Amino acid sequence: MLSFTLETVGRYKESLDEIKEYENEANLLPLSVETQIRLVTQLAIAYNNTGEHPKAVTLLKETQLKAKENSFTHLLGSIEVGLARVYRKLNECPICRDHAESALADHRATGDWLGMAEAYREIALSYHQEGDSEKSLEYFDLGIKIIGDRSAPFMLGKLYTDMSGAYWFLRKPAEGIECLERSITFFDKTEHLLNTVIAYN
């Protein structure tokens, strides 16, 4: 959780440093298989954030296999989102969407609305990255709608920030500014909590 929290505030090297020891198999063995899968998924995401994309893909593929072998189907959506993020960073947008669609199906099966919102965001970003900002807005909107009135300020902040970029490319500055204003409101709600978690740890 500390690695994830550091990631959310953009402290990617520290996020990796906090969890890097679990690349060593000996440090994983005393833990439950489910915890191992969760840790290595976060480790892969941390490597992706620091630009080590091949290593991230390898870890995610290995973890995906372990999750399937142990019937931890509720963890597959997070792994698929991780793969979507890597391939988006590699500018492989169709592959990104394939993994995001798989994540969407996995999260839908387990009722994980926050995971679904993240999968919709990856699909939206892949379309925006390809220059289809109009299409991306459909998926950003789906992400926002699936959250509804539930508490998810950080995810909503990311969705509205990304939407503002899409509106900018569509030359709709008024809508873009409105999205940015909303994102600021949601990020303000999360900033204090994130800093408290980091300080506590």
Side-chain angles (χ1 to χ4, degrees), residues 21-65:
E21 67 184 278
Y22 294 105
E23 192 171 6
N24 185 332
E25 187 75 19
N27 293 331
L28 285 173
L29 285 176
L31 307 172
S32 72
V33 176
E34 182 170 358
T35 301
Q36 290 178 30
I37 293 168
R38 291 182 185 276
L39 277 168
V40 177
T41 300
Q42 178 60 33
L43 176 62
I45 289 167
Y47 273 123
N48 183 49
N49 288 332
T50 54
E52 297 190 57
H53 310 307
K55 185 174 280 191
V57 170
T58 299
L59 288 171
L60 287 165
K61 293 285 188 181
E62 290 172 354
T63 304
Q64 186 180 48
L65 183 61

Side-chain angles (χ1 to χ4, degrees), residues 186-199:
F186 288 117
F187 282 138
D188 282 347
K189 289 180 181 178
T190 59
E191 183 179 12
H192 175 70
L193 180 59
L194 290 172
N195 288 331
T196 301
V197 170
I198 292 168

Side-chain angles (χ1 to χ4, degrees), residues 95-106:
I95 301 174
C96 164
R97 277 195 296 277
D98 286 344
H99 285 293
E101 291 284 1
S102 294
L104 193 57
D106 291 331

